[in-house]
Amino acid sequence: MMDLFEKLEPTEPVSEMLAEGAMLLRGEALAFDGELLAAVEDITGRSPFRHLVTPGGYPMSVAMTNCGAVGWVSDRTGYRYDPEDPLHGRAWPPMPDCFRALAAQAAARAGYPNFAPDACLVNRYVPGARLTLHQDRNERDFASPIVSVSLGLPATFQFGGLKRNDPVKRYALRHGDVAVWGGPSRLRFHGVSELKAGDHPLLGAVRINLTFRHAR
Ligand code: MD6
Ligand code: FE
């Protein structure tokens, strides 16, 4: 009996609209999780996770890599999309079919039927890692949404407004959740709070986030 009640979480796993143009699709990636994680292994075998340095000179606590035609990078010269992985000067690994399929399916469900990402930033969080409030504005195309997939340990997503000091709402992002972000919400400030310790059955003490963009 107790088990039954514990499974009912009245305020949780329901998909919701975060704001106009922004949707949180609970569990949207669950059917793909094994395939997605195998593809992440393959990507990081060719372009390993690394801690990029901010233009100000600080290493980021989140480790990153990319797949697709271009990849997001940061260094002392600024932020940019680069067709080459600066670690070795070769192209980023191609975007796996399961990535593309999930991103297109989620975008369509959120009201963006023709999403064709050319970049996927892969983020790895370990306990203590965080992403400060920012806007995603290095893409040439703000007409396309961003699709963001959460795998592994849960994290607290901070979702603000169009100005840095606008009030921030907080949402738990769990394994399999997908956030889609576009239209009037495309340039909202957002961030991820310090990851808490935990042990996920598939990933252990790690959270992986995939963010798909149409960058160029
Ligand atoms: C993360 N996500 O969830 C980082 N950006 O690890 C993002 O920075 C992000 O989730 C744009 C839209 C959705 C996101
Ligand atoms: Fe972002």
Side-chain angles (χ1 to χ4, degrees):
M1 207 52 182
M2 209 45 220
D3 280 356
L4 187 81
F5 285 113
E6 276 166 5
K7 284 196 182 105
L8 300 171
E9 296 176 359
T11 59
E12 298 299 349
V14 176
S15 296
E16 55 193 308
M17 196 162 174
L18 303 182
E20 207 189 328
M23 289 268 299
L24 179 45
L25 305 170
R26 297 287 186 192
E28 181 78 9
L30 282 178
F32 297 77
D33 65 355
E35 222 184 334
L36 296 171
L37 290 171
V40 168
E41 286 284 304
D42 195 57
I43 290 162
T44 57
R46 303 197 238 175
S47 280
F49 283 119
R50 81 290 308 261
H51 292 271
L52 296 170
V53 173
T54 64
Y58 297 99
M60 299 177 73
S61 61
V62 178
M64 298 181 178
T65 186
N66 292 276
C67 65
V70 289
W72 186 86
V73 290
S74 173
D75 60 22
R76 292 306 300 247
T77 71
Y79 307 120
R80 68 180 182 279
Y81 278 94
D82 199 318
E84 291 174 358
D85 179 347
L87 268 191
H88 51 235
R90 295 187 304 273
W92 298 98
M95 195 179 297
D97 289 338
C98 62
F99 276 35
R100 233 178 257 291
L102 169 60
Q105 176 183 303
R109 233 190 267 294
Y112 302 96
N114 298 308
F115 184 51
D118 58 4
C120 177
L121 174 64
V122 184
N123 295 132
R124 184 188 64 192
Y125 295 72
V126 295
R130 60 197 272 270
L131 200 58
T132 54
L133 218 57
H134 66 279
Q135 291 172 297
D136 289 17
R137 54 182 311 152
N138 301 117
E139 301 75 26
R140 210 172 289 167
D141 176 17
F142 291 152
S144 287
I146 290 174
V147 172
S148 166
V149 178
S150 292
L151 297 167
L153 285 184
T156 301
F157 192 56
Q158 306 163 352
F159 178 69
L162 296 175
K163 295 187 300 252
R164 182 174 291 279
N165 292 321
D166 285 344
V168 168
K169 288 188 195 167
R170 290 177 169 75
Y171 298 89
L173 296 181
R174 299 188 189 78
H175 180 78
D177 290 349
V178 180
V180 181
W181 212 259
S185 287
R186 179 62 180 75
L187 290 176
R188 278 181 188 268
F189 279 88
H190 58 278
V192 177
S193 309
E194 221 175 85
L195 195 77
K196 292 201 182 77
D199 185 18
H200 187 271
L202 294 181
L203 277 164
V206 170
R207 172 177 183 258
I208 300 282
N209 166 264
L210 314 173
T211 50
F212 294 91
R213 299 94 188 275
H214 185 241
R216 43 160 223 193

